[in-house]
Amino acid sequence: LSLADLRTLAAAHSPVLRRAAADADVAYGQVVQAGLHPNPTVGYQADAVQPALRVPPGSTASGAGQQGGYVSFLIKTAGKLGLAQQVAGFDYVNALVAVRRAEAEVAAAVRAQYFAVLVARQGVEVSRALAGLADEVYRLQ
């Protein structure tokens, strides 16, 4: 395999690159989420309900307690959504830089190991030549 083939294989199957790309996708999702308005909250609340309470005749008390519905909606003003999205955008840019750094690190590691294998091959060839030379010297003696 050539160095280019090995770099292509490493780029396609490296878990380091997959993790960096996934982190960048997460950061992009946070950019989108930071620009959205918060969801409203709708609910029903009951407190101090006593259905088994025995109320004497003529009394104004009841076991109904306090009950009611509510709606809550947070309204962000003064451009806070845009500012939050810009902050998340910087995190996204940093995640993209991390992807590029991971790509460079993987490529450098592949290149270093490729040349280490070439050096080891040359070492084997030199050792074979030395062994052949030693055999020839022994045969001549």
Side-chain angles (χ1 to χ4, degrees):
L1 293 172
S2 69
L3 179 58
D5 294 336
L6 292 173
R7 288 179 70 179
T8 303
L9 281 173
H13 300 290
S14 173
V16 172
L17 295 181
R18 287 182 186 174
R19 173 65 188 254
D23 289 344
D25 288 343
V26 168
Y28 179 73
Q30 290 174 347
V31 169
V32 172
Q33 185 65 39
L36 299 176
H37 290 283
N39 291 332
T41 304
V42 178
Y44 176 80
Q45 184 174 358
D47 190 23
V49 177
Q50 299 174 351
L53 181 67
R54 295 183 185 214
V55 180
S59 173
T60 58
S62 72
Q66 301 168 351
Q67 301 182 36
Y70 64 91
V71 176
S72 173
F73 186 72
L74 179 64
I75 299 173
K76 293 190 175 185
T77 58
K80 290 182 186 120
L81 289 177
L83 293 174
Q85 195 168 25
Q86 288 177 359
V87 170
F90 283 112
D91 292 339
Y92 177 59
V93 170
N94 287 336
L96 291 178
V97 169
V99 169
R100 296 291 296 162
R101 184 177 60 239
E103 288 172 351
E105 288 173 356
V106 167
V110 167
R111 190 177 79 223
Q113 295 301 318
Y114 178 77
F115 288 117
V117 167
L118 289 181
V119 168
R121 271 191 193 167
Q122 290 290 16
V124 167
E125 289 179 18
V126 168
S127 296
R128 283 186 183 155
L130 284 174
L133 178 64
D135 287 344
E136 186 67 24
V137 167
Y138 180 73
R139 189 183 59 80
L140 290 175
Q141 286 180 347

